Amino acid sequence: MVHNAYDSFELLTNSPDKIDAIESYGSKLLVACSDGALRIYAPESTISDKSPPLDYHNHGDQLRKEPYALERTVNGFSKKPILSMKVLASRELLLSLSESIAFHRLPNLETVAVLTKAKGANVFDWDDKRGFLCFARQKRVCIFRHDGGRGFVEVKDFGVSDTVRSMSWCGENICMGIRKEYWILNATNGALSQVFPSGRLAPPLVVSLPSRELLLWKDNIGVFVDQNGKHLQAEKLCWSEAPSVVVIQKSYAVALLPRRIEIRSLRVPYSLIQAVVLQNVRHLIESNNAIIVALSNSVCALFPVPLGAQIVQLTASGNFEEALALCKLLPPEDSNLRAAKEGSIHIRYAHYLFDNGSYEEAMEQFLASQVDITYVLSLYPSVVLPKTSMVPEPEKLIDMSPDVPYLSRGSSGLSDDMESSPDFDEHSALESKKMSHNTLKALIKYLQKRRYSIIEKATAEVTDEVVLDAVGDNYGAYDSSRFKKSSKGRGNIAINSGAREMAAILDTALLQAVLLTGQISAALELLKGVNYCDLKICEEILQKWNHYSALLELYKCNGMHREALKLLHQLVEESNQLQPELNPKFKPESIIEYLKPLCGTDPMLVLEFSMLVLESCPTQTIELLLSGNIPADLVNSYLKQHAPSMQGRYLELMLAMDENGISGNLQNEMVQIYLLEVLDWHAELNAQEKWDEKAYSPSRKKLLSALESISGYNPESLLKCLPADALFEERALLLGKMNQHELALSLYVHKLHVPDLALSYCDRVYESAAHPPSVKSSGNMYLTLLQIYLNPQKTTKNFEKRITNLLSPQNTNIPKISSGTLVKAKGGRATKKIAAIEGAEDIRVSLSGTDSSRSDGDTDEFGEEGGSTIMLDEVLDLLSKRWDRINGAQALKLLPKETKLQNLLPFLGPLLKKSSETCRNLSVIKSLRQSENLQVKDEMYNRRKTVVKVTSDTTCALCNKKIGTSVFAVYPNGQAIVHFVCFKDSQSMKAVSKGSALRKR
């Protein structure tokens, strides 16, 4: 037995006659004896009162735990022995079953009705909700309905196969025990459905449960079924013997067995609660507050022990689940008491489970108790918690048992003393670690279940503070006693935040627990989300255990990006020193990935740490700088200072991404970088006497492409940096940007001796002209080239003169970079060169005027290099290839008279063909336009021939008055005739309305 659920008390002794039936009405006992009399007993304390007999309201509605005495006797109540009685409290009636069924009015017991058809009935059941009575006699089942007054109306009468032993209403159906079987009778149509057979040792017994379900007995086993007879659960209620009567009261089932009364719980596994030994028990009925036990000549009552006392008994005996179940039965007005009792029981139950190794079940009980998490964490000394005012002292908590080794720090496998002890048993160490692992796993589940609500409250606090800060609500709300976690996690600011303190304790403990159990992925997931981990504690633990990935996430979530990047760089360096397969996690790309989200918030930090991986991952780093929306000028200046070798690469990629997005300053700087590289290359080859004007290095190709494609640089300053005896193609491109096309073409023809480049240059100028192209500006470019071919000596002299103007003595102070003036110092070499080039930008060169200081010797030298022979083949080739872009008449005027017509066929043939086609097309167009003109004139003449007939009845289409002899006007359709005055007025109105509409716009 677990505890005492009922106390037995003898109410009545030494009845003068044998007790046949018993019932209670309020605090009174109604005892039907074998002599046919009904004896009414009342508490002895009430006998002396002068209240009327059976005064239900004045004497309370419950049985009292005191001796009862005879109040009065109703002789001749029944002629034959009464089999059973039932008080219908809602209708103030007493139902008695004897030779028939009779109803008596309470409290005076006058007979209301007698059902003569119930003669010979042996069993009945009353449905108080609907007022239906069913009873069985012989092989018939009858149903009557109380009409609300003194009479009963018969509803149904069904026949069955045999005598009914037990019956009970189940909804609108009736469950019956017939012979050795249970049946369900449909009270509407009389249909019978078999449930299952009863046992062999005892008659069938049907018991109705408060939940409207049924409990059917099969010998000593009770089976739960629904109203249709279907099994509800696999568990069954078993007794030590087959019961004859079963009474259901609250959470207990009380059964009358041959030798005793057993009380069992209605909760699985239906354990035995109490046994009451009483001999010769004849009746067991339920009262309003007790269970009445009638013997032959005495009456006892089983009074329920108060729930509080039962709960204390169960808790003391370790039956916590039963105690918690009883807590649910406490009255609603004692909700605070119930909550306190439940919390206390959950905590004691949790400690009991924890001490017996059921860690997860223990945490479920802690969770149900809603105890503070610091209380639970006190069971884990190995978990380090933040030192806040919320953590209670260990001695203020429950006294822990000294024989719990797995609560010590050594049990988690962290104690050096335990590991080094010579007496330490290996098996016990393994068991201890296993214990610790299981306890931590249970703790993790507990913290995860508590975490959502705590984090939600902490987040709400943060939101409220942000709102208060936004509206400037600072009236003493933030005093020195408050505590909060700073936004960057670098320290603590004073702010009173209970929810955030609790969140910090929880997350710090949770992180340690998942790390102790080896769940690195769970730790990373925790740190990547919203968390309140204590920075100092978690940092020390992660550093101690070398969990660098988690440490990086800790720094990141606290805004400590510099510390995270330093650590990440250190890990990358260490990884490079080891074999790649030993530490594949940390690579230079990891730094780049970390820097991506910081481009918009901390560009200087991005630039600083991107330099560390620029050499190992140049492409990815430059792509980071380009895609991070960092100002290009800032990136360029930083690269110029810290990584000049990558400056050009960055500008190249930036120009490739968006040519219009790069400023002219950056374009100019990129060209300068290329030019410096080409000048270095030229100086090196020139020193070795291996320079070839037609040689192209990668840098020179880039320079030529940049000079040709981009337009943001300053060609004048760059032109002064070129050597006088080399890099003519670059010089030509720069002259072209300065619109010195004739000089540029002269370089292609007389210096480079590559007519194809000259032709390509003319094509670029022609195609880049405004659309539609201006023949005067772009077409003359081919004529200029034609003149250079036809008059080499003249163009050479002109070229020398204009070049001398560009390099006149008034500009001798212009700094020039040549092979003889290159800076040889390693450090800052490129920077000094770029500074020299940039100094040249301030020079303003006059492209007009003449230079009289040019020597005749220089002129002769250049003229001899240029030569004076007419380049007729190049002329003819140019005319044949670009005949459609050259003005034919002007070209023919420039050609020498000795030119053979046959050589001009490739030029004149397509030119004349196109001219004739154009002339023919224009002639056709002229004819079509003349024909169209004639058609319009013909239509106009036809319109003028229209005849309008005006009679005396013709009216104006505007004023509806007759035209008469007034001047009129006819609309073009020939039908609408109006007064000329009306027509003018309408036109004036239209003009006015149109003007007002325009003003409104």
Side-chain angles (χ1 to χ4, degrees), residues 359-360 380 382 406 410-413 429-445 513-519:
Y359 305 113
E360 292 191 8
Y380 295 84
S382 60
Y406 48 82
S411 65
S412 63
L430 181 62
E431 289 297 323
S432 176
K433 290 182 179 181
K434 184 177 179 182
M435 265 186 183
S436 176
H437 182 83
N438 293 335
T439 57
L440 290 170
K441 291 278 285 186
L443 177 64
I444 291 171
K445 292 183 179 180
V514 295
L515 291 176
L516 286 170
T517 54
Q519 302 180 57

PDB file of all heavy atoms in Angstrom, residues 359-360 380 382 406 410-413 429-445 513-519:
ATOM      1  N   TYR A 359      18.667  11.412 -15.659  1.00  0.00           N
ATOM      2  CA  TYR A 359      18.974  12.838 -15.768  1.00  0.00           C
ATOM      3  C   TYR A 359      17.974  13.591 -16.641  1.00  0.00           C
ATOM      4  O   TYR A 359      17.547  14.699 -16.299  1.00  0.00           O
ATOM      5  CB  TYR A 359      20.392  13.014 -16.309  1.00  0.00           C
ATOM      6  CG  TYR A 359      21.427  12.274 -15.496  1.00  0.00           C
ATOM      7  CD1 TYR A 359      22.117  11.195 -16.026  1.00  0.00           C
ATOM      8  CD2 TYR A 359      21.682  12.632 -14.178  1.00  0.00           C
ATOM      9  CE1 TYR A 359      23.052  10.499 -15.280  1.00  0.00           C
ATOM     10  CE2 TYR A 359      22.609  11.946 -13.424  1.00  0.00           C
ATOM     11  CZ  TYR A 359      23.293  10.864 -13.982  1.00  0.00           C
ATOM     12  OH  TYR A 359      24.193  10.181 -13.228  1.00  0.00           O
ATOM     13  N   GLU A 360      17.606  13.007 -17.765  1.00  0.00           N
ATOM     14  CA  GLU A 360      16.671  13.706 -18.641  1.00  0.00           C
ATOM     15  C   GLU A 360      15.309  13.838 -17.981  1.00  0.00           C
ATOM     16  O   GLU A 360      14.661  14.890 -18.071  1.00  0.00           O
ATOM     17  CB  GLU A 360      16.548  12.968 -19.976  1.00  0.00           C
ATOM     18  CG  GLU A 360      17.813  13.016 -20.820  1.00  0.00           C
ATOM     19  CD  GLU A 360      17.577  12.521 -22.232  1.00  0.00           C
ATOM     20  OE1 GLU A 360      16.408  12.298 -22.580  1.00  0.00           O
ATOM     21  OE2 GLU A 360      18.567  12.353 -22.974  1.00  0.00           O
ATOM     22  N   TYR A 380      25.917  21.606 -11.267  1.00  0.00           N
ATOM     23  CA  TYR A 380      27.018  21.403 -12.217  1.00  0.00           C
ATOM     24  C   TYR A 380      28.161  22.347 -11.853  1.00  0.00           C
ATOM     25  O   TYR A 380      28.311  23.421 -12.462  1.00  0.00           O
ATOM     26  CB  TYR A 380      26.547  21.667 -13.647  1.00  0.00           C
ATOM     27  CG  TYR A 380      25.505  20.696 -14.134  1.00  0.00           C
ATOM     28  CD1 TYR A 380      24.158  20.891 -13.841  1.00  0.00           C
ATOM     29  CD2 TYR A 380      25.854  19.581 -14.889  1.00  0.00           C
ATOM     30  CE1 TYR A 380      23.194  20.000 -14.280  1.00  0.00           C
ATOM     31  CE2 TYR A 380      24.899  18.691 -15.340  1.00  0.00           C
ATOM     32  CZ  TYR A 380      23.570  18.906 -15.031  1.00  0.00           C
ATOM     33  OH  TYR A 380      22.628  18.016 -15.480  1.00  0.00           O
ATOM     34  N   SER A 382      31.175  22.149 -12.589  1.00  0.00           N
ATOM     35  CA  SER A 382      32.154  22.298 -13.669  1.00  0.00           C
ATOM     36  C   SER A 382      31.770  23.387 -14.653  1.00  0.00           C
ATOM     37  O   SER A 382      32.582  23.795 -15.485  1.00  0.00           O
ATOM     38  CB  SER A 382      32.301  20.974 -14.419  1.00  0.00           C
ATOM     39  OG  SER A 382      31.065  20.574 -14.979  1.00  0.00           O
ATOM     40  N   TYR A 406      29.310  12.350  -9.494  1.00  0.00           N
ATOM     41  CA  TYR A 406      29.266  12.897 -10.842  1.00  0.00           C
ATOM     42  C   TYR A 406      28.968  14.382 -10.852  1.00  0.00           C
ATOM     43  O   TYR A 406      28.942  14.998 -11.890  1.00  0.00           O
ATOM     44  CB  TYR A 406      28.204  12.168 -11.678  1.00  0.00           C
ATOM     45  CG  TYR A 406      26.873  12.025 -11.004  1.00  0.00           C
ATOM     46  CD1 TYR A 406      25.957  13.073 -11.005  1.00  0.00           C
ATOM     47  CD2 TYR A 406      26.548  10.854 -10.345  1.00  0.00           C
ATOM     48  CE1 TYR A 406      24.743  12.947 -10.379  1.00  0.00           C
ATOM     49  CE2 TYR A 406      25.330  10.717  -9.714  1.00  0.00           C
ATOM     50  CZ  TYR A 406      24.423  11.767  -9.739  1.00  0.00           C
ATOM     51  OH  TYR A 406      23.217  11.631  -9.124  1.00  0.00           O
ATOM     52  N   GLY A 410      35.707  16.909 -11.256  1.00  0.00           N
ATOM     53  CA  GLY A 410      36.511  15.823 -11.817  1.00  0.00           C
ATOM     54  C   GLY A 410      35.701  14.855 -12.640  1.00  0.00           C
ATOM     55  O   GLY A 410      36.229  14.186 -13.506  1.00  0.00           O
ATOM     56  N   SER A 411      34.415  14.767 -12.408  1.00  0.00           N
ATOM     57  CA  SER A 411      33.611  13.808 -13.139  1.00  0.00           C
ATOM     58  C   SER A 411      33.475  14.154 -14.595  1.00  0.00           C
ATOM     59  O   SER A 411      33.135  13.317 -15.404  1.00  0.00           O
ATOM     60  CB  SER A 411      32.219  13.725 -12.518  1.00  0.00           C
ATOM     61  OG  SER A 411      31.554  14.963 -12.671  1.00  0.00           O
ATOM     62  N   SER A 412      33.693  15.415 -14.945  1.00  0.00           N
ATOM     63  CA  SER A 412      33.590  15.814 -16.342  1.00  0.00           C
ATOM     64  C   SER A 412      34.860  15.549 -17.119  1.00  0.00           C
ATOM     65  O   SER A 412      34.976  15.917 -18.269  1.00  0.00           O
ATOM     66  CB  SER A 412      33.254  17.306 -16.417  1.00  0.00           C
ATOM     67  OG  SER A 412      34.305  18.054 -15.861  1.00  0.00           O
ATOM     68  N   GLY A 413      35.820  14.891 -16.472  1.00  0.00           N
ATOM     69  CA  GLY A 413      37.051  14.603 -17.175  1.00  0.00           C
ATOM     70  C   GLY A 413      38.000  15.759 -17.211  1.00  0.00           C
ATOM     71  O   GLY A 413      38.960  15.743 -17.981  1.00  0.00           O
ATOM     72  N   ALA A 429      36.622   5.456 -13.914  1.00  0.00           N
ATOM     73  CA  ALA A 429      36.828   6.709 -14.650  1.00  0.00           C
ATOM     74  C   ALA A 429      35.935   6.757 -15.881  1.00  0.00           C
ATOM     75  O   ALA A 429      35.333   7.782 -16.208  1.00  0.00           O
ATOM     76  CB  ALA A 429      38.295   6.854 -15.045  1.00  0.00           C
ATOM     77  N   LEU A 430      35.838   5.602 -16.588  1.00  0.00           N
ATOM     78  CA  LEU A 430      34.985   5.547 -17.767  1.00  0.00           C
ATOM     79  C   LEU A 430      33.522   5.758 -17.385  1.00  0.00           C
ATOM     80  O   LEU A 430      32.786   6.490 -18.055  1.00  0.00           O
ATOM     81  CB  LEU A 430      35.163   4.185 -18.460  1.00  0.00           C
ATOM     82  CG  LEU A 430      34.336   3.967 -19.736  1.00  0.00           C
ATOM     83  CD1 LEU A 430      34.731   4.988 -20.790  1.00  0.00           C
ATOM     84  CD2 LEU A 430      34.545   2.551 -20.263  1.00  0.00           C
ATOM     85  N   GLU A 431      33.096   5.127 -16.295  1.00  0.00           N
ATOM     86  CA  GLU A 431      31.719   5.300 -15.847  1.00  0.00           C
ATOM     87  C   GLU A 431      31.460   6.750 -15.430  1.00  0.00           C
ATOM     88  O   GLU A 431      30.389   7.303 -15.677  1.00  0.00           O
ATOM     89  CB  GLU A 431      31.428   4.350 -14.675  1.00  0.00           C
ATOM     90  CG  GLU A 431      31.352   2.887 -15.074  1.00  0.00           C
ATOM     91  CD  GLU A 431      30.213   2.616 -16.049  1.00  0.00           C
ATOM     92  OE1 GLU A 431      29.156   3.241 -15.906  1.00  0.00           O
ATOM     93  OE2 GLU A 431      30.400   1.808 -16.976  1.00  0.00           O
ATOM     94  N   SER A 432      32.445   7.364 -14.778  1.00  0.00           N
ATOM     95  CA  SER A 432      32.276   8.745 -14.341  1.00  0.00           C
ATOM     96  C   SER A 432      32.115   9.683 -15.532  1.00  0.00           C
ATOM     97  O   SER A 432      31.263  10.558 -15.551  1.00  0.00           O
ATOM     98  CB  SER A 432      33.475   9.166 -13.483  1.00  0.00           C
ATOM     99  OG  SER A 432      33.371  10.528 -13.125  1.00  0.00           O
ATOM    100  N   LYS A 433      32.945   9.467 -16.571  1.00  0.00           N
ATOM    101  CA  LYS A 433      32.844  10.304 -17.768  1.00  0.00           C
ATOM    102  C   LYS A 433      31.514  10.079 -18.481  1.00  0.00           C
ATOM    103  O   LYS A 433      30.896  11.000 -19.001  1.00  0.00           O
ATOM    104  CB  LYS A 433      34.011  10.004 -18.709  1.00  0.00           C
ATOM    105  CG  LYS A 433      35.348  10.489 -18.186  1.00  0.00           C
ATOM    106  CD  LYS A 433      36.455  10.212 -19.171  1.00  0.00           C
ATOM    107  CE  LYS A 433      37.799  10.724 -18.650  1.00  0.00           C
ATOM    108  NZ  LYS A 433      38.894  10.482 -19.594  1.00  0.00           N
ATOM    109  N   LYS A 434      31.075   8.820 -18.466  1.00  0.00           N
ATOM    110  CA  LYS A 434      29.787   8.520 -19.089  1.00  0.00           C
ATOM    111  C   LYS A 434      28.662   9.214 -18.343  1.00  0.00           C
ATOM    112  O   LYS A 434      27.733   9.761 -18.923  1.00  0.00           O
ATOM    113  CB  LYS A 434      29.583   7.004 -19.108  1.00  0.00           C
ATOM    114  CG  LYS A 434      28.309   6.568 -19.815  1.00  0.00           C
ATOM    115  CD  LYS A 434      28.218   5.059 -19.844  1.00  0.00           C
ATOM    116  CE  LYS A 434      26.926   4.609 -20.534  1.00  0.00           C
ATOM    117  NZ  LYS A 434      26.807   3.134 -20.533  1.00  0.00           N
ATOM    118  N   MET A 435      28.730   9.154 -16.999  1.00  0.00           N
ATOM    119  CA  MET A 435      27.752   9.855 -16.171  1.00  0.00           C
ATOM    120  C   MET A 435      27.743  11.351 -16.495  1.00  0.00           C
ATOM    121  O   MET A 435      26.692  11.964 -16.677  1.00  0.00           O
ATOM    122  CB  MET A 435      28.094   9.657 -14.695  1.00  0.00           C
ATOM    123  CG  MET A 435      27.358   8.531 -14.019  1.00  0.00           C
ATOM    124  SD  MET A 435      27.735   8.563 -12.273  1.00  0.00           S
ATOM    125  CE  MET A 435      26.851   7.120 -11.758  1.00  0.00           C
ATOM    126  N   SER A 436      28.943  11.925 -16.514  1.00  0.00           N
ATOM    127  CA  SER A 436      29.047  13.353 -16.770  1.00  0.00           C
ATOM    128  C   SER A 436      28.476  13.706 -18.133  1.00  0.00           C
ATOM    129  O   SER A 436      27.777  14.698 -18.286  1.00  0.00           O
ATOM    130  CB  SER A 436      30.509  13.784 -16.679  1.00  0.00           C
ATOM    131  OG  SER A 436      30.637  15.151 -17.020  1.00  0.00           O
ATOM    132  N   HIS A 437      28.752  12.886 -19.118  1.00  0.00           N
ATOM    133  CA  HIS A 437      28.228  13.128 -20.462  1.00  0.00           C
ATOM    134  C   HIS A 437      26.703  13.103 -20.448  1.00  0.00           C
ATOM    135  O   HIS A 437      26.047  13.964 -21.043  1.00  0.00           O
ATOM    136  CB  HIS A 437      28.776  12.079 -21.429  1.00  0.00           C
ATOM    137  CG  HIS A 437      28.333  12.280 -22.846  1.00  0.00           C
ATOM    138  ND1 HIS A 437      28.968  13.159 -23.696  1.00  0.00           N
ATOM    139  CD2 HIS A 437      27.314  11.736 -23.553  1.00  0.00           C
ATOM    140  CE1 HIS A 437      28.362  13.146 -24.868  1.00  0.00           C
ATOM    141  NE2 HIS A 437      27.348  12.283 -24.809  1.00  0.00           N
ATOM    142  N   ASN A 438      26.123  12.131 -19.768  1.00  0.00           N
ATOM    143  CA  ASN A 438      24.671  12.025 -19.724  1.00  0.00           C
ATOM    144  C   ASN A 438      24.047  13.201 -18.976  1.00  0.00           C
ATOM    145  O   ASN A 438      22.990  13.710 -19.371  1.00  0.00           O
ATOM    146  CB  ASN A 438      24.267  10.711 -19.060  1.00  0.00           C
ATOM    147  CG  ASN A 438      24.649   9.510 -19.910  1.00  0.00           C
ATOM    148  OD1 ASN A 438      24.780   9.628 -21.129  1.00  0.00           O
ATOM    149  ND2 ASN A 438      24.838   8.365 -19.286  1.00  0.00           N
ATOM    150  N   THR A 439      24.691  13.615 -17.878  1.00  0.00           N
ATOM    151  CA  THR A 439      24.144  14.754 -17.137  1.00  0.00           C
ATOM    152  C   THR A 439      24.189  16.019 -17.980  1.00  0.00           C
ATOM    153  O   THR A 439      23.251  16.819 -17.977  1.00  0.00           O
ATOM    154  CB  THR A 439      24.936  14.977 -15.842  1.00  0.00           C
ATOM    155  OG1 THR A 439      26.321  15.160 -16.158  1.00  0.00           O
ATOM    156  CG2 THR A 439      24.796  13.794 -14.904  1.00  0.00           C
ATOM    157  N   LEU A 440      25.270  16.193 -18.711  1.00  0.00           N
ATOM    158  CA  LEU A 440      25.390  17.386 -19.553  1.00  0.00           C
ATOM    159  C   LEU A 440      24.407  17.352 -20.723  1.00  0.00           C
ATOM    160  O   LEU A 440      23.855  18.380 -21.110  1.00  0.00           O
ATOM    161  CB  LEU A 440      26.823  17.523 -20.061  1.00  0.00           C
ATOM    162  CG  LEU A 440      27.862  17.889 -18.989  1.00  0.00           C
ATOM    163  CD1 LEU A 440      29.264  17.762 -19.552  1.00  0.00           C
ATOM    164  CD2 LEU A 440      27.620  19.304 -18.459  1.00  0.00           C
ATOM    165  N   LYS A 441      24.191  16.169 -21.280  1.00  0.00           N
ATOM    166  CA  LYS A 441      23.205  16.059 -22.361  1.00  0.00           C
ATOM    167  C   LYS A 441      21.814  16.442 -21.855  1.00  0.00           C
ATOM    168  O   LYS A 441      21.054  17.133 -22.551  1.00  0.00           O
ATOM    169  CB  LYS A 441      23.191  14.628 -22.897  1.00  0.00           C
ATOM    170  CG  LYS A 441      24.453  14.231 -23.654  1.00  0.00           C
ATOM    171  CD  LYS A 441      24.426  14.720 -25.080  1.00  0.00           C
ATOM    172  CE  LYS A 441      23.499  13.890 -25.922  1.00  0.00           C
ATOM    173  NZ  LYS A 441      23.575  14.284 -27.353  1.00  0.00           N
ATOM    174  N   ALA A 442      21.487  15.975 -20.646  1.00  0.00           N
ATOM    175  CA  ALA A 442      20.196  16.339 -20.070  1.00  0.00           C
ATOM    176  C   ALA A 442      20.124  17.842 -19.812  1.00  0.00           C
ATOM    177  O   ALA A 442      19.085  18.476 -20.040  1.00  0.00           O
ATOM    178  CB  ALA A 442      19.972  15.561 -18.778  1.00  0.00           C
ATOM    179  N   LEU A 443      21.232  18.414 -19.340  1.00  0.00           N
ATOM    180  CA  LEU A 443      21.259  19.860 -19.094  1.00  0.00           C
ATOM    181  C   LEU A 443      21.062  20.641 -20.385  1.00  0.00           C
ATOM    182  O   LEU A 443      20.374  21.665 -20.408  1.00  0.00           O
ATOM    183  CB  LEU A 443      22.590  20.245 -18.439  1.00  0.00           C
ATOM    184  CG  LEU A 443      22.801  21.741 -18.176  1.00  0.00           C
ATOM    185  CD1 LEU A 443      21.777  22.250 -17.169  1.00  0.00           C
ATOM    186  CD2 LEU A 443      24.217  22.012 -17.690  1.00  0.00           C
ATOM    187  N   ILE A 444      21.649  20.170 -21.455  1.00  0.00           N
ATOM    188  CA  ILE A 444      21.506  20.864 -22.748  1.00  0.00           C
ATOM    189  C   ILE A 444      20.040  20.909 -23.168  1.00  0.00           C
ATOM    190  O   ILE A 444      19.522  21.961 -23.575  1.00  0.00           O
ATOM    191  CB  ILE A 444      22.362  20.157 -23.820  1.00  0.00           C
ATOM    192  CG1 ILE A 444      23.855  20.366 -23.524  1.00  0.00           C
ATOM    193  CG2 ILE A 444      22.021  20.658 -25.214  1.00  0.00           C
ATOM    194  CD1 ILE A 444      24.769  19.531 -24.384  1.00  0.00           C
ATOM    195  N   LYS A 445      19.358  19.785 -23.052  1.00  0.00           N
ATOM    196  CA  LYS A 445      17.942  19.762 -23.438  1.00  0.00           C
ATOM    197  C   LYS A 445      17.122  20.704 -22.545  1.00  0.00           C
ATOM    198  O   LYS A 445      16.215  21.393 -23.024  1.00  0.00           O
ATOM    199  CB  LYS A 445      17.405  18.333 -23.341  1.00  0.00           C
ATOM    200  CG  LYS A 445      17.999  17.392 -24.377  1.00  0.00           C
ATOM    201  CD  LYS A 445      17.376  16.015 -24.279  1.00  0.00           C
ATOM    202  CE  LYS A 445      17.957  15.089 -25.348  1.00  0.00           C
ATOM    203  NZ  LYS A 445      17.367  13.724 -25.271  1.00  0.00           N
ATOM    204  N   ALA A 513      28.249  23.418 -21.967  1.00  0.00           N
ATOM    205  CA  ALA A 513      27.702  22.061 -21.979  1.00  0.00           C
ATOM    206  C   ALA A 513      27.874  21.409 -23.346  1.00  0.00           C
ATOM    207  O   ALA A 513      28.281  20.242 -23.446  1.00  0.00           O
ATOM    208  CB  ALA A 513      26.229  22.095 -21.573  1.00  0.00           C
ATOM    209  N   VAL A 514      27.581  22.137 -24.406  1.00  0.00           N
ATOM    210  CA  VAL A 514      27.711  21.536 -25.742  1.00  0.00           C
ATOM    211  C   VAL A 514      29.184  21.291 -26.082  1.00  0.00           C
ATOM    212  O   VAL A 514      29.511  20.333 -26.791  1.00  0.00           O
ATOM    213  CB  VAL A 514      27.035  22.427 -26.808  1.00  0.00           C
ATOM    214  CG1 VAL A 514      25.550  22.498 -26.584  1.00  0.00           C
ATOM    215  CG2 VAL A 514      27.630  23.822 -26.843  1.00  0.00           C
ATOM    216  N   LEU A 515      30.075  22.137 -25.573  1.00  0.00           N
ATOM    217  CA  LEU A 515      31.501  21.898 -25.820  1.00  0.00           C
ATOM    218  C   LEU A 515      32.000  20.692 -25.032  1.00  0.00           C
ATOM    219  O   LEU A 515      32.791  19.890 -25.540  1.00  0.00           O
ATOM    220  CB  LEU A 515      32.308  23.143 -25.444  1.00  0.00           C
ATOM    221  CG  LEU A 515      32.124  24.373 -26.354  1.00  0.00           C
ATOM    222  CD1 LEU A 515      32.896  25.550 -25.811  1.00  0.00           C
ATOM    223  CD2 LEU A 515      32.564  24.060 -27.778  1.00  0.00           C
ATOM    224  N   LEU A 516      31.542  20.541 -23.795  1.00  0.00           N
ATOM    225  CA  LEU A 516      31.959  19.398 -22.983  1.00  0.00           C
ATOM    226  C   LEU A 516      31.466  18.084 -23.563  1.00  0.00           C
ATOM    227  O   LEU A 516      32.088  17.036 -23.359  1.00  0.00           O
ATOM    228  CB  LEU A 516      31.452  19.558 -21.546  1.00  0.00           C
ATOM    229  CG  LEU A 516      32.188  20.590 -20.683  1.00  0.00           C
ATOM    230  CD1 LEU A 516      31.442  20.830 -19.392  1.00  0.00           C
ATOM    231  CD2 LEU A 516      33.614  20.126 -20.389  1.00  0.00           C
ATOM    232  N   THR A 517      30.361  18.109 -24.271  1.00  0.00           N
ATOM    233  CA  THR A 517      29.842  16.887 -24.900  1.00  0.00           C
ATOM    234  C   THR A 517      30.325  16.732 -26.337  1.00  0.00           C
ATOM    235  O   THR A 517      29.876  15.827 -27.035  1.00  0.00           O
ATOM    236  CB  THR A 517      28.306  16.905 -24.885  1.00  0.00           C
ATOM    237  OG1 THR A 517      27.828  18.118 -25.476  1.00  0.00           O
ATOM    238  CG2 THR A 517      27.781  16.802 -23.463  1.00  0.00           C
ATOM    239  N   GLY A 518      31.208  17.600 -26.792  1.00  0.00           N
ATOM    240  CA  GLY A 518      31.796  17.451 -28.120  1.00  0.00           C
ATOM    241  C   GLY A 518      30.912  17.914 -29.260  1.00  0.00           C
ATOM    242  O   GLY A 518      31.163  17.562 -30.417  1.00  0.00           O
ATOM    243  N   GLN A 519      29.902  18.714 -29.000  1.00  0.00           N
ATOM    244  CA  GLN A 519      28.990  19.170 -30.047  1.00  0.00           C
ATOM    245  C   GLN A 519      29.458  20.535 -30.566  1.00  0.00           C
ATOM    246  O   GLN A 519      28.871  21.575 -30.271  1.00  0.00           O
ATOM    247  CB  GLN A 519      27.567  19.257 -29.515  1.00  0.00           C
ATOM    248  CG  GLN A 519      27.038  17.948 -28.952  1.00  0.00           C
ATOM    249  CD  GLN A 519      25.627  18.077 -28.427  1.00  0.00           C
ATOM    250  OE1 GLN A 519      24.704  18.476 -29.155  1.00  0.00           O
ATOM    251  NE2 GLN A 519      25.439  17.743 -27.170  1.00  0.00           N
TER     252      GLN A 519
END
